[in-house]
Amino acid sequence: MQKASALLLALLGAINGVAARPANSSSSSVKVRWLGDTPKQSIGTTFGVPWPQGQFVPEKTAFTLFGDNDEELPLQTWVTGYWRDGSVKWTGHAIPKSDNISGEYTVHASRCSKDKRDVEGLAVDDSDDQVTVDTGAISVTFPKSGNAIISSIKTAGGNTVGQNGKLILHSQSSVHDDVASRASSSIDYSNFESNIEGVEVSEENSVRALVTVRGKHQLSSGADHDDWLSFVLRFYLYKDSEAIRIVHSIVFDGKAQEDFISGLGIRFQVPLKDEKLYNRHVRLSGVDGGFLNEAVLGITGLRRDPGAAVRTAQFEGRELPDESTWDTRVTSRLHWIPAWNDYSLSQLSPDGFTLKKRTQPGQTWLNIPGGTRSGGLAYLGGATQGGLAVGLKDFWKRYPTGLDISNAASDAGDLTLWLYSPDASPLDLRGYHDGMGQDTYREQLDALEITYEDYEPDFDTPYGIARTNEIFLFAFDSTPSSDRLSELTDYINAPPVLMAEPEYIRGTKAAGSYWDLPDTSTPRRASIESHLDFNMKFYESEVENRRWYGFLDYGDFMHAYDVDRHTWRYDIGGYAWDNSELSPDLFVWLYFLRTGREDVWRFAEAMTRHTGEVDMYHVGKWKGLGTRHGVLHFADSAKQARIGQSQYRKYFYYLSGGDERTGEVVAETLDTDQTYGILDPLRKVRTDGWTPSPGNPVTFSLGTDWGGLAASWLIEWERRGPRWEEARDKLLGTASSIANLKNGFVTGTGLYTIRNATLDAPPTDPNNEGVVDVSHLSSMFGLPEVLWEFLDYMGDEAPEGFEDAWMDYCYYYLAAAPEQVARYGASFRVSLRQAHSRLLANWATKNGNETAARQAWSAYFDTDGLRESLPWATERIEGSAVLTPVDEAAWMSTNDFAQYGLASIQNLALIGDSLA
């Protein structure tokens, strides 16, 4: 999200001052290092840095960057988060392309009031018709209307290497049930191209420019169809870089029964008119950095040899020597050599891709030996005019994908990256069963008892779900070496990440104060750390072993295991895809924060890109809600704020430097409270007669519902987004209201009035006499983390009585029944004791109570969840019992994976000193 607040503009004015590194008491230096190995190159990088409260005021702070040799480097900075007092909490930074990479950098912040100095950055021309960005290495033009998302890409050498870039969509009105039905069924086919509805460019462009293009796909041929499949493209261009990073997001706004995506891609034309056919080169990424290296007109392997120098030059992608130096038996017969016009690579599974080529449409395809997992990058261009490469991050993991090169023998070839390959079966988003007669709530609840699926007619809809992909473009003045393309393939599949050290991040408290660094100083601490490591590595390996990949699926994993079939319950209702159930997102992000491990970052990033996109609704009446776990990511009828919980995205947003797509997803949840006037989460089990009505007070839970809303409000307040004052008032108003409920959080639900942001007692307790309605799930979906950060944010200014209400819940949930009765007049139905031990740990720390701390550890070790006595190892299962050999941990579930992880991390941070 781009903001133009006075504070931000003032900060940007201070940032660009050029000065030597300050050395005074009003400065602070932060080391940032690459995750994993130092990269060989950088095409431009964005990263985030946290800052302690009260240390820096935006309009009086300058940020500078220094590398290994203490030389000041270009840096662009913006504020992504503020503490409540207005001081800087998080900053985003961009650094330009560099071939001389430092192993670490120092971000220096100092208090100053210097005037802005001119710094030569990217050249941006924003006219009525188009936006042009010149990085110094390439010049890229973005039209503001029409179907071309990019009209031209020109190199500094003067070559136009890309033009007429478009989004491509193919769809059909139905699918064949089987081969026999093809003869009798009638299917309408439609083809679409991008239609631009709006283009924006960032205001600050000293190091990085961001161009955002929005629109829909418009019919270009075929059966009549309205514009659909909304898209947002974010183009990131860095100073001195010949690369463009594209974040491509779509929202499915069609009809599952009528709109079947049969191809989705992005296509660019590569001018080739003045390039000889034998100087035109095709490169397609294979396995482990390998490439198919071919020319449109091949002169290797012929019956007559043109000469070693000629053959070597062609294979290496260089301009061939003058024809006068060739063997005339070749040059006199060049017209008999076929020109290969089209190439196609299809990755239709995570385990194999196929390759083929042909001379022209109407002629047969020639199969080329394929392989397992393509790196997902293709190049088309020439030795003298240059060309374009395009690549997709996680290409084979997001199958079915593809790379096409067509018209390579013509004046302008086409380079297409398929995000959904037209060689695959169409994307079928229909429900996986017909309802089986579940027409009433009673029948649906009964079915829930056997398959754990909460079905309801017309609720298994994909309308409004989204998917985001990361694409890279590279421009070249001449055909690059295959080694260079191999390096770029590695780069796009694991883009380098800069990060502050975990110890520093923890010290700022900007990412919460409820976690700490790993500590193996005692046997029991070491044992817990070992278990956490086992859990993390096990789930990483399960993604590979169980092939949890695919266009929609990659980034998620399964909920529960079937010990009899030795497989996860992929086909059983609510036991299949996890959809963030019980907050695995939180555990994985906290585990990254405390370890700084690259593998954990990649895992967490993929999860955030999935759960914030596919598992949520981004348009329509359920915008901001997510879908409960199920066989399909959108099948279950429980549409709730707990799955759209913004806390799950928060860590990635800030650590990435304010990833704009993630910020947009978070902003979409700000109106989630409006959905409660349409959809009652408790409609199937409600007994008080209350029904929702738009514009009137609505009822929701004080745990999973309020926790999800509160997270969105807090982030908007922190970011000082366009609606931050509204968000602040809603957060403070509802928090004050909870404090005024006689039983606080134990009340369970409240009656929320949107217009004045207040909560009253629920319909079952109109006079606020105090009711007890405790759910074991209330604090399992980010509520503790949201509350702890909110209370840190507020300090001594928290609404009166609010922290006490929360502390009561933390203590009494695990208290003995007599204590609960004495306090509330009733006892609770308690489960997930290990998971809730961290709440009691919080109370013990707040009150300095060693007895409560020991009780919390007892609940952690001796009740439920993952126990110390478990094997903490996998068992190899092979032979006829399984489809493929597996390393099984039959005792594991994703609920336990998530909550054991959170309880372990937070108990160690809060009451680690009480661990025997």
Side-chain angles (χ1 to χ4, degrees):
M1 178 180 293
Q2 300 173 29
K3 303 183 288 292
S5 68
L7 287 175
L8 180 55
L9 292 176
L11 172 61
L12 293 173
I15 288 166
N16 293 313
V18 178
R21 182 201 298 251
N24 56 60
S25 59
S26 299
S27 65
S28 177
S29 297
V30 180
K31 298 285 188 182
V32 291
R33 296 181 173 87
W34 301 101
L35 295 184
D37 297 332
T38 300
K40 298 177 181 178
Q41 60 183 320
S42 169
I43 64 171
T45 300
T46 299
F47 60 97
V49 176
W51 303 94
Q53 184 174 4
Q55 190 164 351
F56 295 108
V57 178
E59 61 268 25
K60 296 181 179 180
T61 304
F63 293 87
T64 48
L65 183 75
F66 299 85
D68 286 338
N69 59 3
D70 218 30
E71 176 187 2
E72 184 176 350
L73 303 171
L75 182 71
Q76 181 176 325
T77 301
W78 55 94
V79 178
T80 56
Y82 301 80
W83 292 99
R84 187 174 59 87
D85 62 7
S87 62
V88 177
K89 185 175 186 181
W90 286 92
T91 48
H93 304 273
I95 59 176
K97 175 194 174 180
S98 176
D99 294 323
N100 298 312
I101 309 298
S102 294
E104 66 176 26
Y105 297 88
T106 301
V107 179
H108 197 85
S110 58
R111 298 175 187 173
C112 69
S113 57
K114 292 185 178 181
D115 294 332
K116 176 179 179 179
R117 300 186 182 184
D118 292 332
V119 175
E120 184 178 356
L122 289 80
V124 176
D125 181 14
D126 184 5
S127 69
D128 291 340
D129 300 327
Q130 62 187 26
V131 172
T132 300
V133 178
D134 191 333
T135 71
I138 56 173
S139 177
V140 186
T141 300
F142 303 87
K144 290 188 174 181
S145 62
N147 57 22
I149 54 175
I150 289 179
S151 59
S152 70
I153 303 173
K154 298 180 180 180
T155 67
N159 291 327
T160 297
V161 297
Q163 61 188 23
N164 200 28
K166 298 178 181 179
L167 299 184
I168 304 297
L169 169 66
H170 304 302
S171 74
Q172 56 191 69
S173 61
S174 184
V175 293
H176 300 288
D177 287 330
D178 51 43
V179 174
S181 67
R182 296 178 185 177
S184 58
S185 65
S186 175
I187 296 179
D188 294 328
Y189 297 90
S190 302
N191 302 313
F192 303 82
E193 294 177 343
S194 43
N195 183 47
I196 310 304
E197 296 179 348
V199 178
E200 297 177 348
V201 63
S202 52
E203 295 181 7
E204 170 62 18
N205 305 297
S206 62
V207 170
R208 188 193 82 170
L210 167 60
V211 179
T212 304
V213 179
R214 298 177 186 272
K216 289 185 178 181
H217 293 78
Q218 186 177 67
L219 187 71
S220 58
S221 65
D224 189 36
H225 197 293
D226 292 337
D227 293 1
W228 74 298
L229 206 65
S230 302
F231 64 82
V232 182
L233 301 172
R234 291 180 170 87
F235 298 87
Y236 296 85
L237 302 97
Y238 291 84
K239 179 177 170 62
D240 300 326
S241 181
E242 71 283 355
I244 309 171
R245 173 175 172 259
I246 308 172
V247 176
H248 171 288
S249 303
I250 55 165
V251 175
F252 185 85
D253 48 14
K255 300 176 181 178
Q257 300 291 334
E258 299 177 12
D259 295 314
F260 297 82
I261 294 174
S262 54
L264 177 67
I266 183 169
R267 176 176 296 160
F268 293 89
Q269 282 187 342
V270 179
L272 298 168
K273 181 178 180 181
D274 297 324
E275 193 77 76
K276 294 183 181 297
L277 292 180
Y278 51 65
N279 283 331
R280 301 182 185 186
H281 303 120
V282 169
R283 303 289 185 262
L284 289 166
S285 179
V287 180
D288 296 334
F291 268 85
L292 176 75
N293 299 283
E294 297 213 349
V296 173
L297 189 75
I299 50 80
T300 64
L302 299 173
R303 184 177 184 186
R304 305 304 178 191
D305 185 3
V310 180
R311 288 186 281 106
T312 300
Q314 185 174 75
F315 183 76
E316 293 180 350
R318 294 182 281 111
E319 182 181 9
L320 271 58
D322 190 271
E323 290 182 20
S324 63
T325 67
W326 302 18
D327 188 319
T328 58
R329 290 177 298 175
V330 176
T331 54
S332 63
R333 297 179 175 89
L334 287 176
H335 57 287
W336 299 124
I337 302 174
W340 297 100
N341 193 64
D342 305 326
Y343 287 76
S344 183
L345 183 152
S346 299
Q347 182 87 48
L348 303 186
S349 83
D351 296 311
F353 66 86
T354 58
L355 265 172
K356 59 185 180 180
K357 67 180 183 180
R358 67 181 180 185
T359 56
Q360 60 185 348
Q363 305 301 133
T364 189
W365 288 94
L366 182 66
N367 289 327
I368 306 171
T372 53
R373 293 169 169 177
S374 167
L377 185 137
Y379 167 84
L380 173 63
T384 66
Q385 291 184 227
L388 198 65
V390 62
L392 172 66
K393 180 183 177 185
D394 298 324
F395 180 80
W396 60 265
K397 297 175 183 177
R398 291 171 174 264
Y399 80 93
T401 49
L403 295 165
D404 278 0
I405 291 172
S406 54
N407 301 315
S410 66
D411 288 348
D414 291 323
L415 182 60
T416 305
L417 167 66
W418 293 109
L419 305 174
Y420 195 91
S421 172
D423 290 336
S425 298
L427 180 63
D428 191 345
L429 299 179
R430 296 174 296 179
Y432 77 98
H433 65 71
D434 64 1
M436 299 180 291
Q438 298 179 55
D439 299 322
T440 67
Y441 287 168
R442 180 178 179 181
E443 291 167 334
Q444 293 157 24
L445 292 172
D446 191 52
L448 181 68
E449 291 296 316
I450 189 67
T451 64
Y452 203 33
E453 180 179 62
D454 194 1
Y455 174 82
E456 190 169 341
D458 300 324
F459 274 67
D460 55 345
T461 175
Y463 183 88
I465 69 170
R467 196 47 162 151
T468 288
N469 287 277
E470 197 166 337
I471 301 166
F472 291 84
L473 289 176
F474 301 93
F476 301 95
D477 270 318
S478 59
T479 297
S481 69
S482 294
D483 286 345
R484 171 64 174 153
L485 291 175
S486 182
E487 291 174 354
L488 292 177
T489 302
D490 290 341
Y491 189 99
I492 68 172
N493 282 292
V497 177
L498 276 172
M499 195 70 56
E501 294 286 359
E503 184 175 9
Y504 170 78
I505 298 174
R506 174 63 177 81
T508 67
K509 298 184 179 181
S513 56
Y514 42 82
W515 58 275
D516 211 338
L517 305 182
D519 180 354
T520 58
S521 59
T522 68
R524 222 160 192 190
R525 282 181 176 271
S527 176
I528 294 174
E529 295 294 348
S530 175
H531 296 163
L532 292 174
D533 180 64
F534 171 86
N535 287 357
M536 190 67 244
K537 290 178 178 176
F538 174 71
Y539 269 74
E540 288 177 336
S541 66
E542 284 294 87
V543 171
E544 167 64 9
N545 294 337
R546 308 293 179 165
R547 299 301 192 266
W548 291 333
Y549 301 119
F551 179 74
L552 292 181
D553 297 337
Y554 179 59
D556 203 357
F557 32 83
M558 292 286 163
H559 177 278
Y561 198 68
D562 186 334
V563 297
D564 297 305
R565 290 187 291 170
H566 304 289
T567 187
W568 294 81
R569 305 185 207 179
Y570 69 95
D571 57 348
I572 303 179
Y575 291 114
W577 291 115
D578 190 70
N579 285 32
S580 296
E581 181 71 2
L582 266 64
S583 304
D585 314 58
L586 290 181
F587 161 56
V588 176
W589 275 117
L590 292 188
Y591 194 64
F592 168 75
L593 285 172
R594 65 201 301 269
T595 63
R597 279 170 39 182
E598 181 186 10
D599 62 316
V600 182
W601 170 272
R602 306 291 179 194
F603 189 92
E605 181 185 19
M607 187 188 315
T608 300
R609 288 293 191 206
H610 169 89
T611 60
E613 302 277 0
V614 181
D615 299 342
M616 277 182 58
Y617 290 105
H618 302 262
V619 296
K621 60 184 179 180
W622 297 334
K623 178 181 176 181
L625 298 178
T627 300
R628 177 181 175 267
H629 43 107
V631 171
L632 302 177
H633 297 288
F634 47 84
D636 201 272
S637 69
K639 314 296 184 183
Q640 298 183 0
R642 73 187 203 190
I643 300 98
Q645 168 62 269
S646 291
Q647 188 73 23
Y648 299 159
R649 336 284 174 224
K650 186 173 188 177
Y651 309 98
F652 177 68
Y653 173 76
Y654 285 126
L655 291 170
S656 67
D659 176 76
E660 284 76 12
R661 173 55 184 169
T662 304
E664 183 174 52
V665 170
V666 170
E668 289 169 351
T669 64
L670 288 173
D671 290 321
T672 300
D673 54 1
Q674 304 284 343
T675 67
Y676 289 89
I678 302 170
L679 183 68
D680 177 16
L682 301 179
R683 60 193 178 280
K684 296 184 182 181
V685 295
R686 186 175 292 282
T687 59
D688 56 16
W690 181 87
T691 57
S693 176
N696 291 319
V698 297
T699 180
F700 57 60
S701 81
L702 306 183
T704 57
D705 294 327
W706 184 82
L709 296 169
S712 302
W713 296 333
L714 179 57
I715 296 172
E716 181 73 359
W717 185 1
E718 285 178 333
R719 296 197 298 168
R720 300 300 191 268
R723 300 172 61 183
W724 75 269
E725 292 172 310
E726 172 196 347
R728 176 200 60 194
D729 293 346
K730 286 183 175 181
L731 181 55
L732 294 178
T734 53
S736 296
S737 299
I738 291 172
N740 291 330
L741 294 175
K742 181 178 180 181
N743 285 347
F745 281 96
V746 175
T747 307
T749 62
L751 199 58
Y752 171 59
T753 303
I754 296 178
R755 57 181 172 78
N756 62 9
T758 59
L759 267 171
D760 293 322
T764 55
D765 184 26
N767 298 319
N768 194 21
E769 296 175 354
V771 295
V772 173
D773 185 10
V774 175
S775 169
H776 65 296
L777 296 181
S778 291
S779 59
M780 297 294 102
F781 288 83
L783 180 66
E785 292 76 17
V786 172
L787 283 175
W788 292 335
E789 291 196 27
F790 172 56
L791 291 170
D792 279 349
Y793 198 71
M794 295 303 300
D796 295 335
E797 300 300 319
E800 184 178 358
F802 179 76
E803 185 173 15
D804 292 338
W806 172 237
M807 285 295 103
D808 277 359
Y809 188 88
C810 289
Y811 176 80
Y812 282 102
Y813 185 90
L814 288 180
E819 286 187 276
Q820 295 170 345
V821 172
R823 169 65 176 84
Y824 295 107
S827 60
F828 309 164
R829 181 184 175 186
V830 173
S831 62
L832 298 175
R833 291 177 176 272
Q834 183 181 74
H836 282 86
S837 65
R838 68 194 208 271
L839 272 63
L840 183 56
N842 182 217
W843 186 92
T845 300
K846 181 72 176 179
N847 292 279
N849 191 305
E850 183 64 23
T851 299
R854 290 194 297 269
Q855 291 173 339
W857 279 121
S858 178
Y860 171 86
F861 283 116
D862 304 327
T863 54
D864 53 22
L866 298 182
R867 310 287 290 274
E868 281 186 298
S869 58
L870 289 169
W872 297 101
T874 59
E875 178 184 358
R876 186 71 169 176
I877 307 295
E878 52 192 0
S880 62
V882 289
L883 183 64
T884 62
V886 297
D887 294 311
E888 179 179 87
W891 43 271
M892 179 67 77
S893 75
T894 301
N895 281 355
D896 287 337
F897 165 77
Q899 288 299 314
Y900 174 85
L902 289 171
S904 299
I905 290 172
Q906 292 167 7
N907 285 344
L908 288 171
L910 295 168
I911 55 172
D913 292 342
S914 301
L915 181 62

